[in-house]
Amino acid sequence: MEERSNSFSHVKAIELAHKNITGTISSSIFHLPSIEIINLSVNWLSGEILNDMASSPSLRYLNLSNNNFVGPIPNCSVSLESLDLSNNMISGEISAEIGLCWSLKTLKIPTSKSNISSLQFLTLASNDLSGQIPSEIGRLKSLNWIYIDRNHFSGKIPEEIGNLVSLNHLDLAWNNLSGQIPSSLGNLSDLHYLYLSIVPTIIELQNLKLLQLMLNSFTGKIPNAEASLPRLQVLQLWSNQLSGEIPNYLGTQSDLTILDLSMNNLSGKIPDELCHSGHLVTLGLFSNSLQGQIPRSLNTCKSLEAIHLRKNRSGNDEGIVELDMFSNLPNLRFLDLSYNGVSVSSSINSSYTWPNLQYLSLASCSLNEFPRFLKGSKHLMSLDLSDNKIHGQNPKWILNKGLDTLSYLNLSHNFLTHIERLPLVGELSSFICNRTSLEILDLSYNNLNGTIPPCLGNFSKRLSVLDLRMNRFQGTIPDTFDKKCGLNNINFNGNELEGSIPPSLVHCRNMQVLDLGNNKIKDTFPRWLETLPEMQVLVLRSNKLHSFLPSPMVNHSFPELRILDLANNDLAGPLPKGYVENMKGMWNLDEQGTSSYMGTRNFSYHYSVSLTIKGFEIKLEKILTIFASIDLSNTMFVGEISSFVGQHNSLRGPNLSHNSFSGQIPESIGNLTQLEWLDLSSNKLNGQIPHKLADLTFLAFLNLSDNRLTGPTPQGRQFNTFENASYHGNIGLCGFPLSRGCNSDG
């Protein structure tokens, strides 16, 4: 051991960042006698941060950021100059001994009772730290940057922060801070960037260039800060609850380049004055309630690169938006006018093009043809013309221009019958298969037919979404998915596909959604799908699947599955106990939060799925990551319902109707606290209805009809709202709302 230790005695640096290393690390590497630099950032390392990890007498630089370390913040030696533990799960408070680290210039952990007079950068972002921001922070006079965002700090911002006269960046966002901004912040004459998460008061910061107050719950109107922030370049107030009109003075801020007021409750008109400064680059106003005309003065904003007006009610009095109002913007890269309830006219001068256009979204704009100006868009990355009235086939030029860069194509919900040069009808061309930049291809809800080209299974490892649902495709699904498959979402629902489910789909290891429902697929249950580690949604309903459902192949089958729909098939036999036990993706989802939807981040593309919910077919336009449901209705399953179903405590609704399940309703179903619907109708269930079901406060739909249940119906809470139809065909039941009382002889 001593000889091995000596062999590393001269090692001065260990650089293993971005290596996908897992597991824990040995503390011995921190005690090498000559070690000066250790960088293990951006890996999958875990375990507890030990108190002596940063105490080596020769260590100058230690970076353990972007891992999964837990525990308290360690002490450090006097030689350490940079310590980065950000983006872990570090908790607790820092000890006073951190003040001995006199050489520190960059400390990316929290500090409270310290005397680090030379500290310039303080970062504790993205951890689990709590408590108040200590007032002692005001002693660190050399601080230039403070990043303590994305933690659980509470209380007020200490007045002493105003003593940090060298401060340039201050980020306190995504915490639980309360109260007002201390007036002492007005002393920070060098402050250029300010990110907050508390109700602001306008203070005079003559040099402030960036003000970000997004992702909060601010209410009221946008305050007048014309004289207080004369050098403001960036104002981002998106995702709040601000109301009222957009102040005219924002157009007179001479340095303003980015204005983003999206996702609020703003009303009134878009001010004509917004372009008076002449420097505006980004205008974000989407998801508000703005009305009236889109001001033609935007055409004078020569510097404009991005216009986000999605989901308002903007438009002129005739409900028509002429695209020529933007024709004088040579730098335009991003234009989104979708879902405003107006008609967009693309009769722009055919000789004009936007040469730099990269993103165009004109969804639900009553278009009846492809915009001709796209002919000159050679750098197009994203095109969304969905939910329009485009008929027939596309012009040949639509896919000749920009295809080398096109990553997102959404032509869904139109009346297309032919996609020229893809092709999706007729003989396969290699044209689309050479477009390796494509990431999202959505041609759903059209009138396309023919067979699915085999190349769509393997032409691009970048393709993540392939949505061809609700067309008239025939033939089989090509068995061409190779080991480079990068697909996250395949949706072929609502076509006329036959044959079997291709085994090569097992190569799509990133698959989250597979929807092959409502076709004519004739196959046994594809048990090999259970090995896909990311699978969350599996819909195979209304096909010709047959035979018994086999036992799982592996111990942890479908570990992330949250939505399972096998309804309307010929599957038979007992439901394998292993599947019910292993689907742990339906456990404790409510602890993961409610604001996340399934989809891709690159283009804010949300996955959707159609399910039978409370007796009705409903299309979920967005799928919450905490949503869980099971539909095995109209099959031929037999045997008892496993009590393990009660472990799936995030289930919103199981539908096991129209089978031959027997035995009693498991008492454990009463543990499903998120349950909103329960359909066990048309089975052979007997015994009493568990009275524990009465504790399910979210249960809004119940169907236990046509079984062999006996005894009194549960009373109280939601059960007082259910009608006779919920129990029809169970002659042994009694009690409200049934006409037969439990004490009656009849």
Side-chain angles (χ1 to χ4, degrees), residues 262-263 270 283-290 294 307-314 334-341 359-365 382 384-387 408 410 603-606 622:
S262 303
M263 292 184 284
I270 302 174
L283 175 62
L285 300 175
F286 70 87
S287 293
N288 280 287
S289 299
L290 299 169
I294 298 175
I307 301 175
H308 305 251
L309 299 179
R310 186 183 188 93
K311 290 187 178 179
N312 278 283
R313 287 176 289 181
S314 299
F334 186 111
L335 178 62
D336 190 345
L337 304 178
S338 300
Y339 299 105
N340 280 301
Y359 182 109
L360 177 66
S361 183
L362 298 177
S364 189
C365 289
S382 176
D384 187 351
L385 302 179
S386 61
D387 288 297
Y408 176 76
N410 191 344
F603 298 96
S604 298
Y605 181 88
H606 294 113
K622 298 179 181 179

Side-chain angles (χ1 to χ4, degrees), residues 305-325:
E305 297 181 9
I307 301 175
H308 305 251
L309 299 179
R310 186 183 188 93
K311 290 187 178 179
N312 278 283
R313 287 176 289 181
S314 299
N316 58 26
D317 295 335
E318 292 76 30
I320 298 176
V321 175
E322 301 285 350
L323 285 182
D324 63 358
M325 70 169 57

Side-chain angles (χ1 to χ4, degrees), residues 214-415:
M214 64 277 195
L215 288 161
N216 290 288
S217 299
F218 298 150
T219 58
K221 297 182 178 180
I222 300 174
N224 190 335
E226 181 175 6
S228 303
L229 306 170
R231 299 186 181 180
L232 196 64
Q233 296 177 4
V234 177
L235 178 60
Q236 294 180 312
L237 305 178
W238 52 271
S239 194
N240 282 287
Q241 298 176 26
L242 298 170
S243 57
E245 298 185 355
I246 301 173
N248 291 336
Y249 79 85
L250 291 175
T252 65
Q253 297 288 103
S254 58
D255 294 329
L256 194 64
T257 59
I258 296 177
L259 175 62
D260 196 342
L261 309 177
S262 303
M263 292 184 284
N264 280 286
N265 300 317
L266 299 173
S267 58
K269 297 181 179 180
I270 302 174
D272 287 323
E273 296 84 356
L274 281 184
C275 284
H276 284 187
S277 70
H279 296 129
L280 198 63
V281 174
T282 297
L283 175 62
L285 300 175
F286 70 87
S287 293
N288 280 287
S289 299
L290 299 169
Q291 296 177 314
Q293 297 180 347
I294 298 175
R296 298 193 69 88
S297 59
L298 291 181
N299 210 18
T300 65
C301 294
K302 302 288 187 180
S303 56
L304 258 179
E305 297 181 9
I307 301 175
H308 305 251
L309 299 179
R310 186 183 188 93
K311 290 187 178 179
N312 278 283
R313 287 176 289 181
S314 299
N316 58 26
D317 295 335
E318 292 76 30
I320 298 176
V321 175
E322 301 285 350
L323 285 182
D324 63 358
M325 70 169 57
F326 309 114
S327 62
N328 202 30
L329 305 178
N331 299 315
L332 194 65
R333 295 184 300 104
F334 186 111
L335 178 62
D336 190 345
L337 304 178
S338 300
Y339 299 105
N340 280 301
V342 297
S343 299
V344 171
S345 172
S346 60
S347 58
I348 192 170
N349 187 334
S350 59
S351 64
Y352 182 81
T353 60
W354 283 300
N356 298 311
L357 191 65
Q358 296 178 1
Y359 182 109
L360 177 66
S361 183
L362 298 177
S364 189
C365 289
S366 298
L367 289 172
N368 52 29
E369 64 178 359
F370 287 87
R372 298 176 185 177
F373 60 82
L374 289 174
K375 281 187 176 183
S377 301
K378 299 180 180 180
H379 305 290
L380 200 63
M381 297 178 62
S382 176
L383 176 62
D384 187 351
L385 302 179
S386 61
D387 288 297
N388 281 293
K389 303 175 182 178
I390 303 174
H391 286 74
Q393 66 183 48
N394 63 287
K396 294 181 179 180
W397 51 261
I398 194 70
L399 292 174
N400 290 338
K401 301 295 182 180
L403 260 185
D404 288 333
T405 57
L406 194 66
S407 297
Y408 176 76
L409 176 61
N410 191 344
L411 303 178
S412 66
H413 293 82
N414 278 285
F415 300 95

Side-chain angles (χ1 to χ4, degrees), residues 116-117 119 137-143 163-167:
I116 314 172
S117 57
L119 189 67
I137 199 171
R139 301 176 185 174
L140 309 180
K141 299 296 182 63
S142 299
L143 273 176
N163 298 335
L164 307 178
V165 293
S166 300
L167 203 62

Side-chain angles (χ1 to χ4, degrees), residues 337-585:
L337 304 178
S338 300
Y339 299 105
N340 280 301
V342 297
S343 299
V344 171
S345 172
S346 60
S347 58
I348 192 170
N349 187 334
S350 59
S351 64
Y352 182 81
T353 60
W354 283 300
N356 298 311
L357 191 65
Q358 296 178 1
Y359 182 109
L360 177 66
S361 183
L362 298 177
S364 189
C365 289
S366 298
L367 289 172
N368 52 29
E369 64 178 359
F370 287 87
R372 298 176 185 177
F373 60 82
L374 289 174
K375 281 187 176 183
S377 301
K378 299 180 180 180
H379 305 290
L380 200 63
M381 297 178 62
S382 176
L383 176 62
D384 187 351
L385 302 179
S386 61
D387 288 297
N388 281 293
K389 303 175 182 178
I390 303 174
H391 286 74
Q393 66 183 48
N394 63 287
K396 294 181 179 180
W397 51 261
I398 194 70
L399 292 174
N400 290 338
K401 301 295 182 180
L403 260 185
D404 288 333
T405 57
L406 194 66
S407 297
Y408 176 76
L409 176 61
N410 191 344
L411 303 178
S412 66
H413 293 82
N414 278 285
F415 300 95
L416 297 173
T417 58
H418 190 89
I419 302 293
E420 180 73 21
R421 294 182 65 88
L422 272 176
L424 293 171
V425 177
E427 185 180 351
L428 173 65
S429 165
S430 61
F431 188 73
I432 188 62
C433 300
N434 294 331
R435 305 305 99 188
T436 57
S437 62
L438 203 61
E439 296 181 30
I440 296 176
L441 178 60
D442 189 342
L443 302 174
S444 61
Y445 294 90
N446 280 291
N447 294 318
L448 302 170
N449 55 30
T451 59
I452 296 177
C455 71
L456 289 183
N458 60 17
F459 79 97
S460 173
K461 65 181 180 181
R462 295 185 61 182
L463 189 67
S464 63
V465 175
L466 178 58
D467 193 343
L468 306 179
R469 83 183 104 165
M470 302 307 293
N471 281 283
R472 292 182 292 166
F473 288 110
Q474 301 171 345
T476 61
I477 301 173
D479 193 12
T480 56
F481 300 92
D482 62 21
K483 293 182 179 180
K484 296 180 180 179
C485 175
L487 282 163
N488 300 123
N489 184 336
I490 293 180
N491 198 325
F492 295 161
N493 193 307
N495 283 282
E496 300 173 14
L497 298 170
E498 300 176 327
S500 59
I501 300 172
S504 61
L505 279 172
V506 76
H507 293 145
C508 302
R509 306 302 294 173
N510 298 323
M511 185 76 69
Q512 296 179 341
V513 177
L514 177 61
D515 189 346
L516 305 179
N518 296 289
N519 280 284
K520 301 177 181 178
I521 296 171
K522 189 174 183 180
D523 199 353
T524 58
F525 181 75
R527 59 190 302 192
W528 38 266
L529 287 176
E530 71 189 60
T531 64
L532 296 180
E534 304 295 329
M535 180 76 78
Q536 298 181 37
V537 178
L538 177 60
V539 178
L540 302 176
R541 71 176 293 123
S542 299
N543 278 287
K544 298 180 180 180
L545 300 182
H546 57 88
S547 189
F548 280 28
L549 199 64
S551 297
M553 298 169 56
V554 295
N555 291 331
H556 302 289
S557 56
F558 294 115
E560 296 296 327
L561 196 66
R562 297 161 191 198
I563 296 177
L564 175 64
D565 191 345
L566 304 179
N568 303 318
N569 280 287
D570 296 326
L571 296 168
L575 190 63
K577 183 179 178 182
Y579 282 127
V580 181
E581 293 181 14
N582 291 338
M583 293 179 187
K584 296 183 179 179

Side-chain angles (χ1 to χ4, degrees), residues 16-25 40-47 64-69 88-89:
L16 294 174
H18 295 272
K19 299 296 184 182
N20 289 320
I21 303 172
T22 60
T24 59
I25 53 176
L40 301 175
S41 61
V42 196
N43 283 292
W44 298 97
L45 295 167
S46 58
L64 302 179
S65 65
N66 293 283
N67 281 286
N68 296 312
F69 289 117
N88 280 284
M89 292 179 281

